[in-house]
């Protein structure tokens, strides 16, 4: 049998019917290799079926299960109990919902609303380059692709946006800004003017204070601030 | 319980897409492109279409590049026919294989970030069962974006749909289809955040809800893949097809079954048993580690049964090894970066240095809602349901028959998504706004009332876990009459139990418990159809393997149709397998007969 830990979870709760908020404490006997989503499921199964949380793919590819654990935004599916204990050097974990959209219940936030930020940067190719003369795909060298392919890995989990010191005020946020950068660096995008308008608009990239929290918290290990820096420098 | 359940309001649109995943949104983009101004509403259970399960697909999308001097669409067509164990429909295979490359180019021109060759062209990798010259040698046919091809596809069709102004409604489920005089006129949906029912009336409805294998203990599928739309179809008196064909992917990471893509073996990874022997050489001497999935999954279980597997203490599960240690660093870092990170994070092994523990994981449903080659839903082996379409994993046209080749699903989403979108555009020419549906009581109100009023001692987790263990053990990779009869009996009990589970709260707002119990009932219903179909098919074909009937039998050269308007009131039907390539007697037609399947 695997090692297990007795951990304590202090979870921020919110009831949309009564509009009451409170912190509820759960003690869980959890095997070391459980993910935090498994721990939440265990609480539902054994202690409290009303605790609401969110997930979908549960392997860090959809970005539905972002939560704040001991102050750090992360994906609940990615944190194993043993890693949580190791990383935070404690057996007590404070879980709060992400701060980038209204809370629906407990740990579930209205990510649909957060997505409005991403929609604003119009993530499609606004004006695609004319097709290759041979009629098939555009030619893009692996070298060119490599300059921005890391940024295409973003899953819009909004962990970076939750950590960002500017997002909550006047900034579109790191992930949305990076989505615009992808198209600025994509040789197929011809709508450069419009893209730059998005980049430098009032809530654009200059609202970023370069604290680099985004790069530190990104569960996909994307160096988000690097792409924002390229935007500020106009290097694309 | 509080107030009576009611429909809060009614929305109208031209096209309702139930399921904003890869297939649904490819159809949306086609409609947007061909018929600008069409009012489209697309539904998803997750918060954004971008989070649909297509985004987790890893390895690639098959398509024959006309500039490839070696490959030809007929090889791909043949591989798909052979891979299906002679049970896919040849008209559909041909159509999909012929337009595959156009669709790859469509994706690329609309902004997908495919991996590239040194010449800047779309890169391709080998995949299981895809071969040149009718099964002679490995083909390089899978177009990919590193090991996140599905994400590339999802991002592209999602962004295109946004561009065309598709209205997305997230965090909702379609709970019931609406009909008037036999024509589908939309659906009832339930919104999670507010806990409200809405009616959506549409001229055309497309079902594209994806996969359903969450009833298995080990599964690569997302939390919401609970077969909802199959149940919606069954409740409406419509048939479902070939559900007994469940694909187990050979390499799920030990534990929950997170997928380790076939792309790893495409790049050269090797399966090994406890003696580190590359055992696939014994089971498939030519294709080896790139044999089709059903063969490899059975081989792995065989190795484990004969004592050549291993046991993982932490996860309490048997497994074999996947060896990636010999692959170049460059491959680890660039081509299979995501999967390597999954192994590190979820299993705690470093694929560059360690052997990786893997075991089969329930992955894909070949069957689904039967459609013709245009994505029109069928009411029986011939008739169609006006106004109702289906595409993607939930649909069975059928490109895969009883076994799917890797990379053919993403291909299907994009090709059949487009074809279905095209058909809907045609259909809209003469379609008028539907009248209000007749005012009969909604099935979902009865279901929800039952759940909200349940007072039993049963526990959600207990029923869920019993179901998942049962399906894994008795309706999994190997099946027998005895195991299936037992499963059917237990499913009837579980179904009864599931209606007595008391809820933690009877609030309708963001009530996870209520939502999950509705899903659990769907899973039990779909499981029953799988078990019934498996019991009736007394042969082994593709992913359906009966230990008591280990051979394929010509007597079963047809698709299984199952009607189950009430739980376990089953009627069977048959749909013939389309043999149009064989019957046309063109070049190589003899290969499209019921051929022997060896790799
Ligand atoms: C881990 C993994 C890797 C894979 N890799 C590959 C690969 O490399 N190549 C390949 O060809 N195939 C692959 N597949 C298979 C392929 O990805 C899927 O078959 C395909 O993505 C399904 O797409 P879809 O559009 O049909 O459904 P999905 O993308 O799953 O979308 C379904 C949509 O319907 C919504 N929905 C479901 N039920 C309801 C409801 N009741 N009401 C409203 N909305 C609903 C969902 O929320 C979602 O938005 C893989 C599958 C998995 C799980
Ligand atoms: S950049 Fe990273 S942290 Fe931010 S949304 Fe994307 S994946 Fe999440």
């Amino acid at each position: 049998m695997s090692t297990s830990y007795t951990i304590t979870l202090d979870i921020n709760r919110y009831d949309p019917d009564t509009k009451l908020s409170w912190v509820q404490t759960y003690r869980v006997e959890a095997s070391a290799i459980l993910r935090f989503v498994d721990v939440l499921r265990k609480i539902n199964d054994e202690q409290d079926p009303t605790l609401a949380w969110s997930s979908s793919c549960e392997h860090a590819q959809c970005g539905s299960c972002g939560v704040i654990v001991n102050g750090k935004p992360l994906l609940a599916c990615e944190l194993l109990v043993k890693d949580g204990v190791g990383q935070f050097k404690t057996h007590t974990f404070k879980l709060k919902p992400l701060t980038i959209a209204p809370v629906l219940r407990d740990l579930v936030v209205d990510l649909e609303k957060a997505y409005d930020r991403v929609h604003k940067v119009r993530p499609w190719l606004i004006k695609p380059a004319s097709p290759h003369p041979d009629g098939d795909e555009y030619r893009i060298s692996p070298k060119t692709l490599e300059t921005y392919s890391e940024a295409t890995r973003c899953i819009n989990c909004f962990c970076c946006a939750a950590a960002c010191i500017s997002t909550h005020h006047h900034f579109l946020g790191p992930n949305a800004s990076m989505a615009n950068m992808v198209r600025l660096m994509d040789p197929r995008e011809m709508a450069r003017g419009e893209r730059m308008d998005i980049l430098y608009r009032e809530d654009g990239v200059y609202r970023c204070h370069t604290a680099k929290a985004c790069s530190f918290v990104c569960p996909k290990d994307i160096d988000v601030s690097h792409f924002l820096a390229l935007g500020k420098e106009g290097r694309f | 319980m509080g107030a009576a359940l009611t429909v809060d309001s009614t929305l109208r649109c031209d096209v309702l897409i139930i399921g904003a995943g890869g297939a649904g949104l490819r159809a949306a983009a086609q409609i947007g492109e061909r018929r600008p101004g069409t009012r489209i509403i697309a539904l998803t259970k997750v918060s954004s279409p971008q989070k649909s399960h297509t985004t987790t697909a890893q390895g690639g999308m098959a398509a024959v590049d006309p500039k490839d001097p070696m490959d030809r669409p007929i090889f791909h067509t043949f591989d798909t026919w052979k891979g299906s164990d002679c049970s896919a429909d040849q008209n559909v295979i041909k159509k999909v294989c012929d337009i595959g490359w156009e669709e790859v180019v469509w994706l690329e021109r609309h902004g997908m970030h495919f991996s590239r060759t040194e010449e800047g062209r779309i890169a391709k990798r080998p995949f299981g069962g895809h071969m040149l010259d009718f099964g002679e040698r490995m083909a390089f046919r899978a177009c990919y974006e590193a090991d996140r091809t599905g994400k590339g596809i999802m991002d592209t069709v999602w962004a295109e749909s946004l561009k065309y102004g598709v209205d997305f409604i997230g965090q909702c489920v379609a709970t019931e289809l609406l009909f008037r005089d036999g024509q589908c006129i939309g659906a009832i949906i339930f919104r999670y955040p507010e806990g409200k029912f809405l009616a959506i009336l549409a001229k055309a409805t497309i079902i594209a809800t994806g996969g359903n294998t969450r009833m298995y203990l080990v599964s690569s599928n997302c939390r919401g893949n609970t077969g909802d739309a199959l149940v919606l179809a069954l409740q409406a008196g419509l048939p479902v097809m070939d559900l007994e064909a469940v694909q187990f992917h050979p390499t799920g990471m030990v534990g929950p079954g997170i997928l380790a893509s076939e792309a790893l073996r495409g790049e050269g990874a090797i399966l090994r048993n406890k003696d580190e022997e590359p055992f696939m050489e014994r089971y498939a001497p030519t294709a080896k580690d790139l044999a089709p999935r059903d063969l490899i999954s059975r081989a792995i279980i065989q190795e484990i049964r004969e004592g050549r597997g291993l046991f993982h203490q932490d996860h309490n599960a048997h497994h074999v090894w996947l060896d990636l240690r010999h692959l170049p660093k460059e491959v680890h870092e660039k081509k299979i970066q995501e999967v390597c990170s999954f192994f590190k994070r979820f299993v705690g092994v470093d694929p560059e240095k360690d052997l990786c523990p893997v075991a089969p994981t329930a992955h894909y449903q070949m069957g689904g809602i039967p459609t013709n080659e245009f994505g029109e839903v069928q009411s029986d082996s011939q008739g169609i349901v006006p106004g109702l379409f289906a595409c993607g994993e939930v649909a069975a046209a059928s490109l895969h028959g009883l076994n799917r080749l890797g990379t053919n699903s993403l291909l299907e989403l994009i090709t059949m998504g487009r074809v279905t979108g095209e058909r809907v555009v045609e259909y809209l020419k003469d379609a008028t706004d539907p009248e209000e549906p007749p005012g009969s009581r909604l099935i979902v109100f009865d279901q929800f009332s039952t759940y909200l009023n349940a007072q039993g001692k049963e526990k959600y987790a207990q029923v869920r876990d019993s179901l998942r263990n049962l399906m894994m053990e008795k309706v999994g990779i190997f099946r027998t009459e005895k195991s299936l009869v037992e499963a059917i009996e237990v499913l009837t009990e579980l179904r009864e139990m599931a209606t007595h589970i008391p809820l933690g709260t009877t609030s309708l707002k963001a009530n996870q418990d209520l939502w999950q119990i509705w899903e659990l009932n769907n899973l039990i219903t779909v499981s029953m159809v799988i078990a019934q179909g498996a019991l009736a098919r007394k042969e082994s074909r593709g992913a359906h393997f009966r230990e008591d009937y280990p051979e394929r039998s010509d007597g079963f050269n047809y698709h299984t149709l199952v009607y189950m308007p009430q739980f376990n009131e089953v009627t069977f039907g048959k749909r013939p397998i389309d043999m149009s390539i064989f019957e046309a007697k063109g070049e190589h037609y003899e290969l499209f007969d019921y051929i022997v399947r060896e790799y």
Side-chain angles (χ1 to χ4, degrees):
Chain A
M1 271 308 288
S2 83
T3 15
S4 69
Y5 295 92
T6 306
I7 55 173
T8 303
L9 270 62
D10 295 325
I11 302 184
N12 274 40
R13 310 242 8 219
Y14 169 74
D15 181 340
D17 291 308
T18 58
K19 311 245 180 306
L20 290 177
S21 307
W22 70 101
V23 176
Q24 191 155 345
T25 300
Y26 301 94
R27 281 169 73 81
V28 189
E29 188 64 30
S31 136
I33 45 119
L34 286 192
R35 304 165 290 186
F36 265 57
V37 284
D38 300 317
V39 175
L40 293 169
R41 206 174 351 253
K42 204 165 152 59
I43 293 176
N44 285 154
D45 290 353
E46 295 167 3
Q47 302 183 34
D48 184 355
T50 67
L51 175 71
W53 50 283
S54 169
S55 77
S56 178
C57 81
E58 303 196 348
H59 64 278
Q61 201 57 15
C62 76
S64 300
C65 64
V67 287
I68 297 179
V69 177
N70 291 351
K72 186 181 180 197
L74 48 77
L75 297 178
C77 75
E78 247 200 345
L79 187 66
L80 304 193
V81 169
K82 62 173 182 201
D83 298 336
V85 171
Q87 187 179 333
F88 294 103
K89 308 216 166 26
T90 173
H91 289 68
T92 302
F93 301 92
K94 292 190 171 60
L95 270 65
K96 295 183 181 162
L98 288 185
T99 47
I100 36 82
V103 179
L104 295 174
R105 185 188 280 279
D106 304 336
L107 297 174
V108 183
V109 302
D110 198 351
L111 273 188
E112 256 181 293
K113 295 229 161 63
Y115 257 91
D116 288 346
R117 296 162 182 263
V118 185
H119 297 178
K120 278 191 191 146
V121 309
R122 316 183 72 197
W124 56 90
L125 281 177
I126 298 174
K127 189 163 178 284
S130 17
H132 191 268
D134 284 0
D136 45 30
E137 76 267 39
Y138 296 95
R139 306 297 190 263
I140 300 179
S141 77
K143 266 210 162 55
T144 307
L145 181 62
E146 218 168 276
T147 58
Y148 61 91
S149 66
E150 272 300 293
T152 69
R153 295 176 58 241
C154 167
I155 54 174
N156 287 320
C157 65
F158 292 91
C159 286
C160 57
C164 174
I165 53 171
S166 312
T167 306
H168 308 284
H169 308 290
H170 313 289
F171 180 33
L172 262 182
N175 52 327
S177 304
M178 188 168 69
N180 187 44
M181 279 305 292
V182 166
R183 290 308 183 198
L184 269 165
M185 299 177 80
D186 185 336
R188 297 166 297 186
E189 175 64 284
M190 295 295 112
R192 318 273 304 167
E194 188 172 334
R195 287 272 163 224
M196 279 189 269
D197 289 346
I198 298 174
L199 184 68
Y200 298 127
R201 52 191 247 178
E202 195 46 40
D203 56 359
V205 74
Y206 287 128
R207 297 284 84 79
C208 159
H209 290 250
T210 324
K212 298 194 181 177
C214 48
S215 298
F216 287 110
V217 301
C218 176
K220 303 300 286 183
D221 293 327
I222 303 168
D223 189 358
V224 191
S225 60
H226 160 74
F227 290 97
L228 301 193
L230 292 180
K232 290 179 195 167
E233 286 176 41
R235 282 211 346 240
F236 33 76
Chain B
M1 198 204 99
L5 300 169
T6 54
V7 174
D8 188 69
S9 53
T10 301
L11 303 175
R12 284 181 176 274
C13 61
D14 297 317
V15 183
L16 170 64
I17 301 181
I18 305 177
L25 293 191
R26 178 64 188 91
Q30 188 66 12
I31 299 167
E33 223 167 272
R34 290 287 315 284
R35 195 175 180 279
T38 305
R39 297 164 304 162
I40 305 175
I41 295 180
L43 312 176
T44 175
K45 289 171 94 166
V46 281
S47 55
S48 161
Q50 195 197 19
K51 304 203 176 314
S52 296
H53 208 47
T54 293
T55 207
T56 65
Q58 302 171 354
M61 162 171 170
V64 176
D65 179 352
K67 292 213 172 69
D68 184 331
M70 320 262 270
D71 207 356
R72 293 172 54 196
I74 191 160
F75 300 153
H76 187 189
T77 309
F78 170 76
D79 293 340
T80 306
W81 170 247
K82 180 177 170 187
S84 80
D85 216 347
C86 307
S87 57
D89 289 297
Q90 296 185 355
N91 55 344
V92 177
I93 309 179
K94 181 164 186 333
K95 174 179 258 176
V96 166
C97 292
D98 284 353
I99 62 173
W101 183 254
E102 277 171 34
E103 284 303 298
V104 168
V105 172
W106 184 91
L107 284 166
E108 199 278 340
R109 288 208 188 145
H110 289 82
M112 180 164 161
H113 308 286
F114 281 105
S115 296
R116 303 288 172 153
T117 63
E118 281 310 315
E119 296 75 48
R121 301 209 55 208
I122 292 172
K124 306 178 190 81
R125 57 164 60 117
F127 240 81
H130 288 279
M131 303 179 101
L132 298 174
D133 304 326
F134 305 110
E136 290 295 322
R137 282 164 293 124
M138 224 158 56
F140 282 72
R141 190 183 286 156
C143 305
Y144 60 93
E145 177 173 332
D147 53 353
R148 46 180 181 272
T149 313
K151 172 163 164 49
I153 290 178
M154 198 61 240
D155 286 2
T156 305
V157 295
W158 162 63
E160 281 302 296
S161 314
L162 270 175
K163 179 174 99 184
Y164 288 114
V166 171
D167 281 321
F168 300 127
I169 305 183
Q171 308 176 85
C172 73
V173 279
T175 53
E176 190 158 345
L177 295 170
L178 295 173
F179 293 89
R180 195 176 179 107
D181 305 327
Q183 178 186 339
C184 181
I185 55 167
I188 298 290
I189 73 165
F190 179 70
R191 272 270 298 170
Y192 182 67
E194 308 87 23
K196 285 187 175 157
F197 291 96
L198 305 177
I200 304 185
L201 299 186
K203 294 174 186 166
T205 302
I206 304 177
I207 301 178
T209 50
N212 75 5
T213 64
R214 287 305 307 180
M215 68 284 280
Y216 288 94
L217 181 65
V218 179
S219 168
S220 69
N221 277 204
C222 67
R223 192 173 165 193
N225 272 3
T226 50
D228 310 343
L230 299 173
V231 177
L232 264 55
L234 288 167
Q235 281 168 357
L238 299 174
V240 293
M241 187 166 102
D242 294 342
L243 284 203
E244 64 271 26
V246 178
Q247 176 164 81
F248 280 79
H249 193 294
T251 57
M253 293 178 199
V254 76
I258 296 166
L259 192 75
S261 173
E262 198 168 304
L264 304 181
R265 281 171 284 130
E267 298 289 348
I270 296 168
L271 283 161
R272 297 183 186 279
N273 59 21
K274 90 170 195 286
D275 309 317
E276 299 197 17
E277 180 212 0
F279 59 87
M280 276 316 297
E281 289 175 5
R282 272 188 279 119
Y283 295 86
T286 311
K288 297 186 186 122
D289 291 277
L290 286 179
R293 293 174 176 177
D294 55 326
L295 295 183
I296 303 188
S297 287
R298 286 195 290 273
I300 292 175
I301 301 296
Q302 197 71 19
E303 290 298 296
I304 293 172
R305 281 183 174 182
E306 288 169 10
R308 291 187 295 277
L310 300 104
F311 187 75
H312 198 282
Q313 294 289 342
D314 282 352
H315 285 290
N316 191 22
H318 294 277
H319 67 92
V320 293
W321 297 122
L322 186 64
D323 188 357
L324 294 118
R325 295 170 301 180
H326 54 290
L327 303 183
K329 202 171 175 58
E330 163 94 5
V331 169
H332 282 269
E333 284 173 2
K334 300 235 168 80
K335 291 184 158 178
I336 52 173
Q337 174 188 15
E338 312 293 345
V339 185
C340 287
S341 80
F342 300 157
F343 269 120
K344 285 184 198 146
R345 289 191 187 177
F346 298 110
V347 193
V349 295
D350 179 354
E352 273 189 76
K353 301 191 209 99
D354 309 317
L355 288 164
C356 301
V358 294
T361 183
H363 183 55
Y364 186 86
Q365 61 163 358
M366 268 70 70
I369 297 175
T371 73
N372 61 16
E373 60 173 309
F374 307 107
E376 292 167 316
V377 170
Q378 295 187 307
S379 50
D380 50 43
S381 64
Q382 272 142 19
I384 58 163
V385 185
L388 190 59
F389 302 79
C391 56
E393 187 171 336
V394 72
S398 147
L399 175 66
H400 314 298
L402 271 71
N403 183 56
R404 163 178 86 96
L405 295 186
T407 66
N408 264 359
S409 171
L410 291 177
L411 171 69
E412 178 185 24
L413 308 185
I414 298 306
T415 52
M416 289 307 287
R418 164 178 130 190
V419 166
T420 306
E422 200 68 38
R423 197 65 168 191
V424 167
V425 169
E426 284 299 307
Y427 181 83
L428 289 177
K429 282 185 184 151
D430 303 319
T432 48
D433 266 324
E435 288 171 38
E436 293 282 332
S440 51
R441 184 171 164 83
L442 296 174
I443 303 170
V444 63
F445 288 175
D446 289 337
Q447 294 169 330
F448 271 47
S449 301
T450 308
Y451 309 149
L452 289 163
N453 292 312
Q455 304 282 347
K457 292 207 166 44
E458 289 78 0
K459 290 244 189 298
Y460 166 75
Q462 163 205 6
V463 180
R464 177 200 64 203
D465 294 348
S466 307
L467 172 71
R468 299 179 69 208
N469 282 308
L470 176 80
M471 291 301 285
M472 201 74 191
E473 271 172 36
K474 307 218 184 278
V475 198
I477 297 178
F478 290 103
R479 300 152 175 190
T480 62
E481 173 152 344
K482 182 165 174 286
S483 75
L484 294 166
V485 169
E486 280 171 19
I488 289 168
E489 212 165 285
V490 179
L491 284 168
T492 313
E493 289 161 20
L494 291 179
R495 157 78 181 194
E496 184 58 29
M497 289 167 76
T499 56
H500 298 302
I501 303 167
L503 293 173
T505 164
T506 54
S507 160
L508 291 177
K509 286 184 191 161
N511 187 340
Q512 171 179 300
D513 213 12
L514 173 64
W515 175 283
Q516 291 190 150
I517 285 173
W518 180 77
E519 290 182 326
L520 178 63
N521 273 278
N522 292 340
L523 283 173
I524 297 173
T525 304
V526 175
S527 299
M528 180 56 99
V529 180
I530 297 176
Q532 290 282 5
L535 181 62
R537 193 173 273 280
K538 294 188 166 64
E539 64 156 356
S540 291
R541 186 186 296 252
H544 167 69
F545 196 90
R546 287 279 301 256
E547 289 186 273
D548 40 357
Y549 299 95
E551 303 296 328
R552 192 175 79 196
S553 153
D554 281 342
F556 289 92
N557 286 344
Y558 58 79
H559 298 287
T560 311
L561 294 179
V562 173
Y563 300 79
M564 197 175 81
Q566 299 294 330
F567 188 75
N568 210 12
E569 281 178 19
V570 178
T571 350
F572 289 98
K574 293 176 187 178
R575 194 178 101 175
I577 293 169
D578 181 280
M579 300 282 287
S580 47
I581 302 179
F582 177 73
E583 284 155 7
K585 300 270 183 266
E587 196 192 6
H588 304 298
Y589 80 95
E590 70 289 349
L591 295 171
F592 291 86
D593 199 352
Y594 291 101
I595 52 169
V596 181
R597 182 172 177 250
E598 278 169 355
Y599 285 91

